[in-house]
Short mmCIF file of all heavy atoms in Angstrom, two decimals:
data_model
loop_
_atom_site.label_atom_id
_atom_site.label_comp_id
_atom_site.label_asym_id
_atom_site.label_seq_id
_atom_site.Cartn_x
_atom_site.Cartn_y
_atom_site.Cartn_z
N ALA A 218 25.59 -41.17 -12.49
CA ALA A 218 25.37 -42.57 -12.83
C ALA A 218 23.90 -42.82 -12.73
O ALA A 218 23.40 -43.39 -11.77
CB ALA A 218 26.20 -43.42 -11.86
N GLY A 219 23.17 -42.41 -13.72
CA GLY A 219 21.69 -42.51 -13.70
C GLY A 219 21.24 -43.97 -13.67
O GLY A 219 22.00 -44.87 -13.99
N ARG A 220 20.02 -44.16 -13.19
CA ARG A 220 19.48 -45.52 -13.02
C ARG A 220 18.58 -45.77 -14.18
O ARG A 220 17.94 -44.92 -14.76
CB ARG A 220 18.73 -45.61 -11.71
CG ARG A 220 19.60 -45.15 -10.51
CD ARG A 220 18.86 -45.30 -9.25
NE ARG A 220 19.04 -46.69 -8.85
CZ ARG A 220 18.32 -47.26 -7.94
NH1 ARG A 220 17.35 -46.64 -7.32
NH2 ARG A 220 18.53 -48.52 -7.59
N ALA A 221 18.42 -47.01 -14.51
CA ALA A 221 17.63 -47.46 -15.66
C ALA A 221 16.17 -47.08 -15.51
O ALA A 221 15.49 -46.78 -16.49
CB ALA A 221 17.74 -48.96 -15.88
N GLU A 222 15.69 -47.10 -14.31
CA GLU A 222 14.23 -46.80 -14.14
C GLU A 222 13.91 -45.34 -13.99
O GLU A 222 12.79 -44.97 -13.81
CB GLU A 222 13.70 -47.57 -12.88
CG GLU A 222 14.19 -47.00 -11.56
CD GLU A 222 15.43 -47.72 -11.06
OE1 GLU A 222 16.18 -48.29 -11.80
OE2 GLU A 222 15.67 -47.60 -9.84
N SER A 223 14.93 -44.47 -14.09
CA SER A 223 14.65 -43.01 -13.94
C SER A 223 14.35 -42.41 -15.27
O SER A 223 14.70 -42.89 -16.36
CB SER A 223 15.85 -42.35 -13.28
OG SER A 223 16.94 -42.34 -14.17
N GLY A 224 13.70 -41.28 -15.21
CA GLY A 224 13.59 -40.45 -16.40
C GLY A 224 12.32 -40.63 -17.21
O GLY A 224 12.28 -40.09 -18.32
N HIS A 225 11.28 -41.25 -16.77
CA HIS A 225 10.11 -41.36 -17.65
C HIS A 225 9.04 -40.32 -17.24
O HIS A 225 8.98 -39.85 -16.13
CB HIS A 225 9.52 -42.81 -17.61
CG HIS A 225 9.09 -43.24 -16.26
ND1 HIS A 225 9.94 -43.66 -15.26
CD2 HIS A 225 7.83 -43.32 -15.69
CE1 HIS A 225 9.28 -44.01 -14.21
NE2 HIS A 225 8.01 -43.80 -14.41
N ARG A 226 8.26 -39.95 -18.24
CA ARG A 226 7.22 -38.92 -18.09
C ARG A 226 5.99 -39.53 -17.38
O ARG A 226 5.54 -40.64 -17.72
CB ARG A 226 6.76 -38.36 -19.41
CG ARG A 226 7.87 -37.62 -20.20
CD ARG A 226 7.45 -37.36 -21.60
NE ARG A 226 6.21 -36.68 -21.70
CZ ARG A 226 6.02 -35.43 -22.03
NH1 ARG A 226 7.09 -34.68 -22.31
NH2 ARG A 226 4.85 -34.87 -22.05
N MET A 227 5.42 -38.74 -16.50
CA MET A 227 4.17 -39.10 -15.81
C MET A 227 3.38 -37.81 -15.55
O MET A 227 3.98 -36.75 -15.43
CB MET A 227 4.44 -39.82 -14.46
CG MET A 227 5.07 -41.15 -14.53
SD MET A 227 5.30 -41.85 -12.86
CE MET A 227 3.73 -42.55 -12.55
N THR A 228 2.04 -38.00 -15.36
CA THR A 228 1.32 -36.82 -14.86
C THR A 228 1.75 -36.61 -13.43
O THR A 228 2.18 -37.52 -12.77
CB THR A 228 -0.17 -36.98 -14.97
OG1 THR A 228 -0.58 -38.00 -14.05
CG2 THR A 228 -0.67 -37.30 -16.40
N VAL A 229 1.65 -35.38 -12.98
CA VAL A 229 2.02 -35.06 -11.61
C VAL A 229 1.25 -35.94 -10.64
O VAL A 229 1.80 -36.52 -9.70
CB VAL A 229 1.86 -33.59 -11.31
CG1 VAL A 229 2.09 -33.29 -9.83
CG2 VAL A 229 2.77 -32.76 -12.17
N ARG A 230 -0.05 -36.09 -10.86
CA ARG A 230 -0.90 -36.86 -9.95
C ARG A 230 -0.44 -38.33 -9.90
O ARG A 230 -0.34 -38.94 -8.82
CB ARG A 230 -2.36 -36.75 -10.32
CG ARG A 230 -3.31 -37.54 -9.47
CD ARG A 230 -3.19 -36.98 -8.01
NE ARG A 230 -3.85 -37.84 -7.06
CZ ARG A 230 -4.85 -37.43 -6.32
NH1 ARG A 230 -5.27 -36.17 -6.37
NH2 ARG A 230 -5.38 -38.25 -5.40
N GLN A 231 -0.23 -38.95 -11.08
CA GLN A 231 0.24 -40.34 -11.11
C GLN A 231 1.58 -40.45 -10.37
O GLN A 231 1.79 -41.42 -9.61
CB GLN A 231 0.45 -40.79 -12.52
CG GLN A 231 -0.89 -41.01 -13.26
CD GLN A 231 -0.57 -41.26 -14.75
OE1 GLN A 231 0.36 -40.79 -15.33
NE2 GLN A 231 -1.49 -42.00 -15.36
N TYR A 232 2.49 -39.50 -10.55
CA TYR A 232 3.77 -39.55 -9.92
C TYR A 232 3.63 -39.47 -8.38
O TYR A 232 4.17 -40.23 -7.65
CB TYR A 232 4.67 -38.48 -10.42
CG TYR A 232 6.01 -38.44 -9.70
CD1 TYR A 232 6.96 -39.46 -9.86
CD2 TYR A 232 6.34 -37.37 -8.86
CE1 TYR A 232 8.11 -39.45 -9.16
CE2 TYR A 232 7.55 -37.32 -8.16
CZ TYR A 232 8.44 -38.37 -8.35
OH TYR A 232 9.61 -38.35 -7.66
N LEU A 233 2.84 -38.52 -7.91
CA LEU A 233 2.69 -38.34 -6.44
C LEU A 233 2.03 -39.57 -5.83
O LEU A 233 2.38 -40.01 -4.79
CB LEU A 233 1.87 -37.06 -6.14
CG LEU A 233 2.57 -35.74 -6.44
CD1 LEU A 233 1.62 -34.57 -6.19
CD2 LEU A 233 3.82 -35.62 -5.60
N ASP A 234 1.01 -40.11 -6.56
CA ASP A 234 0.37 -41.34 -6.07
C ASP A 234 1.34 -42.48 -5.93
O ASP A 234 1.40 -43.20 -4.94
CB ASP A 234 -0.79 -41.74 -6.93
CG ASP A 234 -1.99 -40.87 -6.80
OD1 ASP A 234 -2.12 -40.07 -5.85
OD2 ASP A 234 -2.88 -40.91 -7.69
N ALA A 235 2.25 -42.63 -6.91
CA ALA A 235 3.26 -43.70 -6.89
C ALA A 235 4.29 -43.46 -5.74
O ALA A 235 4.62 -44.40 -5.04
CB ALA A 235 3.99 -43.77 -8.20
N VAL A 236 4.74 -42.21 -5.57
CA VAL A 236 5.67 -41.87 -4.53
C VAL A 236 5.02 -42.19 -3.15
O VAL A 236 5.67 -42.84 -2.34
CB VAL A 236 6.08 -40.40 -4.60
CG1 VAL A 236 6.83 -39.92 -3.29
CG2 VAL A 236 6.94 -40.09 -5.82
N LEU A 237 3.81 -41.77 -2.93
CA LEU A 237 3.15 -41.98 -1.63
C LEU A 237 2.85 -43.50 -1.41
O LEU A 237 3.04 -43.93 -0.28
CB LEU A 237 1.88 -41.16 -1.56
CG LEU A 237 2.10 -39.63 -1.57
CD1 LEU A 237 0.78 -38.90 -1.49
CD2 LEU A 237 3.03 -39.21 -0.43
N GLU A 238 2.51 -44.18 -2.43
CA GLU A 238 2.23 -45.64 -2.25
C GLU A 238 3.51 -46.36 -1.84
O GLU A 238 3.50 -47.17 -0.90
CB GLU A 238 1.72 -46.25 -3.54
CG GLU A 238 1.35 -47.70 -3.45
CD GLU A 238 0.82 -48.30 -4.74
OE1 GLU A 238 0.26 -47.54 -5.51
OE2 GLU A 238 0.99 -49.51 -4.90
N GLU A 239 4.58 -46.04 -2.49
CA GLU A 239 5.91 -46.72 -2.17
C GLU A 239 6.32 -46.33 -0.76
O GLU A 239 6.78 -47.21 0.00
CB GLU A 239 6.89 -46.32 -3.24
CG GLU A 239 8.27 -46.99 -3.06
CD GLU A 239 9.27 -46.56 -4.14
OE1 GLU A 239 8.85 -46.45 -5.32
OE2 GLU A 239 10.41 -46.38 -3.79
N TRP A 240 6.17 -45.02 -0.44
CA TRP A 240 6.61 -44.61 0.87
C TRP A 240 5.76 -45.24 2.00
O TRP A 240 6.29 -45.65 3.06
CB TRP A 240 6.54 -43.06 1.00
CG TRP A 240 7.03 -42.59 2.32
CD1 TRP A 240 8.31 -42.46 2.72
CD2 TRP A 240 6.24 -42.27 3.43
NE1 TRP A 240 8.37 -42.06 4.07
CE2 TRP A 240 7.07 -41.91 4.51
CE3 TRP A 240 4.84 -42.19 3.68
CZ2 TRP A 240 6.63 -41.49 5.76
CZ3 TRP A 240 4.37 -41.82 4.91
CH2 TRP A 240 5.28 -41.44 5.96
N ARG A 241 4.46 -45.34 1.76
CA ARG A 241 3.60 -45.95 2.80
C ARG A 241 3.93 -47.43 2.99
O ARG A 241 3.76 -47.95 4.09
CB ARG A 241 2.14 -45.80 2.29
CG ARG A 241 1.56 -44.39 2.58
CD ARG A 241 0.12 -44.32 2.17
NE ARG A 241 -0.45 -43.06 2.62
CZ ARG A 241 -1.11 -42.24 1.81
NH1 ARG A 241 -1.24 -42.50 0.55
NH2 ARG A 241 -1.60 -41.14 2.31
N GLN A 242 4.43 -48.11 1.97
CA GLN A 242 4.88 -49.46 2.20
C GLN A 242 6.12 -49.53 3.09
O GLN A 242 6.28 -50.47 3.83
CB GLN A 242 5.20 -50.11 0.82
CG GLN A 242 3.95 -50.40 -0.01
CD GLN A 242 4.28 -50.89 -1.40
OE1 GLN A 242 5.41 -51.15 -1.70
NE2 GLN A 242 3.26 -51.07 -2.21
N GLN A 243 6.94 -48.51 3.02
CA GLN A 243 8.16 -48.46 3.85
C GLN A 243 7.82 -47.97 5.28
O GLN A 243 8.54 -48.34 6.20
CB GLN A 243 9.21 -47.52 3.25
CG GLN A 243 9.81 -47.99 1.93
CD GLN A 243 10.69 -47.00 1.29
OE1 GLN A 243 11.04 -45.99 1.91
NE2 GLN A 243 11.10 -47.28 0.06
N TYR A 244 6.80 -47.16 5.42
CA TYR A 244 6.42 -46.62 6.70
C TYR A 244 4.90 -46.93 6.93
O TYR A 244 4.06 -45.99 7.00
CB TYR A 244 6.62 -45.09 6.71
CG TYR A 244 7.94 -44.69 7.16
CD1 TYR A 244 9.05 -44.78 6.28
CD2 TYR A 244 8.18 -44.18 8.43
CE1 TYR A 244 10.30 -44.36 6.72
CE2 TYR A 244 9.45 -43.79 8.83
CZ TYR A 244 10.49 -43.88 7.95
OH TYR A 244 11.75 -43.50 8.38
N PRO A 245 4.54 -48.22 7.06
CA PRO A 245 3.14 -48.55 7.15
C PRO A 245 2.41 -48.05 8.40
O PRO A 245 1.19 -47.92 8.40
CB PRO A 245 3.17 -50.10 7.16
CG PRO A 245 4.52 -50.50 7.65
CD PRO A 245 5.45 -49.36 7.20
N HIS A 246 3.18 -47.73 9.47
CA HIS A 246 2.51 -47.26 10.67
C HIS A 246 2.43 -45.77 10.78
O HIS A 246 1.83 -45.25 11.73
CB HIS A 246 3.25 -47.85 11.92
CG HIS A 246 3.25 -49.37 11.88
ND1 HIS A 246 2.10 -50.10 11.98
CD2 HIS A 246 4.24 -50.21 11.77
CE1 HIS A 246 2.40 -51.39 11.98
NE2 HIS A 246 3.69 -51.50 11.78
N ALA A 247 3.04 -45.05 9.88
CA ALA A 247 2.99 -43.56 9.92
C ALA A 247 1.64 -43.07 9.38
O ALA A 247 1.05 -43.64 8.49
CB ALA A 247 4.10 -43.03 9.03
N ARG A 248 1.12 -42.03 10.08
CA ARG A 248 -0.14 -41.43 9.64
C ARG A 248 0.23 -40.28 8.71
O ARG A 248 0.91 -39.35 9.13
CB ARG A 248 -0.91 -40.92 10.83
CG ARG A 248 -1.58 -42.06 11.59
CD ARG A 248 -2.55 -41.56 12.68
NE ARG A 248 -3.51 -40.65 12.06
CZ ARG A 248 -3.96 -39.55 12.73
NH1 ARG A 248 -3.59 -39.25 13.93
NH2 ARG A 248 -4.81 -38.73 12.11
N LEU A 249 -0.24 -40.32 7.49
CA LEU A 249 0.02 -39.34 6.46
C LEU A 249 -1.30 -38.77 6.00
O LEU A 249 -2.13 -39.53 5.49
CB LEU A 249 0.79 -39.85 5.28
CG LEU A 249 1.04 -38.90 4.18
CD1 LEU A 249 1.95 -37.75 4.62
CD2 LEU A 249 1.66 -39.59 2.98
N ALA A 250 -1.54 -37.46 6.18
CA ALA A 250 -2.68 -36.84 5.62
C ALA A 250 -2.23 -36.10 4.37
O ALA A 250 -1.46 -35.15 4.43
CB ALA A 250 -3.26 -35.83 6.62
N ALA A 251 -2.71 -36.59 3.20
CA ALA A 251 -2.31 -35.97 1.94
C ALA A 251 -3.39 -35.11 1.38
O ALA A 251 -4.58 -35.58 1.31
CB ALA A 251 -1.97 -37.06 0.96
N HIS A 252 -3.12 -33.89 1.05
CA HIS A 252 -4.06 -32.94 0.54
C HIS A 252 -3.57 -32.58 -0.85
O HIS A 252 -2.62 -31.75 -0.98
CB HIS A 252 -4.19 -31.67 1.40
CG HIS A 252 -4.53 -32.03 2.82
ND1 HIS A 252 -5.75 -32.36 3.24
CD2 HIS A 252 -3.76 -32.03 3.92
CE1 HIS A 252 -5.78 -32.60 4.52
NE2 HIS A 252 -4.53 -32.40 4.97
N ILE A 253 -4.08 -33.22 -1.87
CA ILE A 253 -3.57 -33.07 -3.22
C ILE A 253 -4.66 -32.42 -4.12
O ILE A 253 -5.75 -33.00 -4.24
CB ILE A 253 -3.11 -34.39 -3.85
CG1 ILE A 253 -1.99 -34.98 -2.95
CG2 ILE A 253 -2.69 -34.26 -5.26
CD1 ILE A 253 -1.57 -36.38 -3.36
#
């Protein structure tokens, strides 16, 4: 049962940036060191 917002093409960097931005909003106090 796919979701409407799934399945669009992105560069890997744009995708990772979006994933990390959304996750940081959910875990604002976590320290994340990203090496990309």
Side-chain angles (χ1 to χ4, degrees):
R220 304 181 88 195
E222 71 269 20
S223 68
H225 60 282
R226 295 168 54 106
M227 293 179 83
T228 67
V229 173
R230 181 59 191 241
Q231 289 171 330
Y232 176 68
L233 290 176
D234 287 346
V236 167
L237 294 179
E238 181 180 335
E239 185 178 319
W240 182 80
R241 283 181 171 129
Q242 290 174 4
Q243 294 174 8
Y244 273 76
H246 301 296
R248 285 190 52 216
L249 176 67
H252 306 285
I253 300 175

